[in-house]
Each structure stands twice: as C-alpha cells, then as structure tokens.
Amino acid sequence: MVGVEMMAITALDRVTRGKVNLFKDPRGALGVLDFPKEIPFTPVRMFWIHDVPAGGKRGAHAHKACTQFIICGQGQIEIDAYDGTRSEQIKLSAGEYVNVVPGIFATLTFPQEHSTAMVLCDRPYEADDYIYNAEMLAKDSAIMDGSK
C-alpha cells in the first residue's frame, strides 16, 4: 500500500494486562488467579516486593529470556517500561496485573507506603539473564524483538 507506514512490533506490543477476580465481603478481600487461563506460562519462581518507602523504586533492569507476571497485591505500582524504541508507563492498582515479556527494561515505583508487588516468573533466577543498561536494548535487536 502506498503511503502507509508499517510500524515494527516491539516487546511493548507483547505486554498484556488484566485484573484479578476479587471477591470482597465484610471479612476482607480474596483475589483469585486461574493459572492456565490468565498466566501465559507455567510459573517456576515467585517473589514479592513490599515495605518499599513511598516513592521508592525497584527493578531497573530487563531480562533476555525471563517473562515476569507482576501483580499489584496492595496499594499502587507504577511501571516505567522501555523496550529500546519506546517507553510506556503502566499503572497498577490492587488486583491488577501485567505480563512483562523479555526485552522490557522495567522500573517499578511504589507511590504509596504498604504497596506490594507479587511476581511470578517462567524461569529460575539466572544472573546472566539480567540487562542493567537500558541503552543495550536499543543496540541489540535480538533482545528487542524477544528472540533472545
């Protein structure tokens, strides 16, 4: 087609979002995730982040191969996501989640005290999977397109 520019699909285009099924009554709230339905992989590792001072940051890295399913368990989380070509800010409130694919440099900001992030991963911890320099994403197209 003449005059139509095709935009390249980047890692940010493969990030998905959703909301946990929350059931609330006077006893409290219950959040439910059905793994095969909502999580696009079989989790092999889980960790959570809490007690971060208001405005504090965690993450500030990307992964070459690991996918992370991040759930806001309480409070709010703001995720600055960069894939080497563009940036996006993803805001999560309690019960919301985002599936962060490889090649996304993600920095999590905790704007409120007592916010909690729970993270499910499709791989075990591998030190050589981490990318701590966001500019490396722009230089390595194999990381950007998720093939590494």
Side-chain angles (χ1 to χ4, degrees), residues 31-97:
V32 178
L33 273 173
D34 289 317
F35 281 30
K37 186 167 100 176
E38 292 157 309
I39 301 175
F41 57 82
T42 302
V44 298
R45 180 168 65 109
M46 178 183 172
F47 62 90
W48 57 93
I49 304 167
H50 64 99
D51 290 340
V52 177
K57 299 182 183 303
R58 297 294 307 247
H61 62 265
H63 289 276
K64 298 173 191 171
C66 184
T67 298
Q68 294 186 320
F69 191 90
I70 303 170
I71 308 155
C72 180
Q74 180 174 318
Q76 294 181 340
I77 301 166
E78 296 172 355
I79 302 171
D80 291 316
Y82 172 68
D83 68 5
T85 59
R86 61 189 175 98
S87 297
E88 185 175 329
Q89 186 172 71
I90 301 166
K91 295 183 179 188
L92 301 178
S93 294
E96 295 179 330
Y97 60 79

Side-chain angles (χ1 to χ4, degrees), residues 66-146:
C66 184
T67 298
Q68 294 186 320
F69 191 90
I70 303 170
I71 308 155
C72 180
Q74 180 174 318
Q76 294 181 340
I77 301 166
E78 296 172 355
I79 302 171
D80 291 316
Y82 172 68
D83 68 5
T85 59
R86 61 189 175 98
S87 297
E88 185 175 329
Q89 186 172 71
I90 301 166
K91 295 183 179 188
L92 301 178
S93 294
E96 295 179 330
Y97 60 79
V98 62
N99 188 58
V100 178
V101 298
I104 300 287
F105 193 91
T107 302
L108 284 66
T109 301
F110 293 74
Q112 305 174 342
E113 287 187 30
H114 308 297
S115 294
T116 302
M118 296 172 284
V119 184
L120 301 170
C121 303
D122 67 346
R123 301 175 66 89
Y125 171 79
E126 299 165 304
D128 63 347
D129 186 51
Y130 287 72
I131 301 167
Y132 292 103
N133 181 347
E135 298 309 311
M136 293 301 295
L137 293 176
K139 295 177 184 174
D140 191 336
S141 62
I143 292 171
M144 286 175 19
D145 72 13

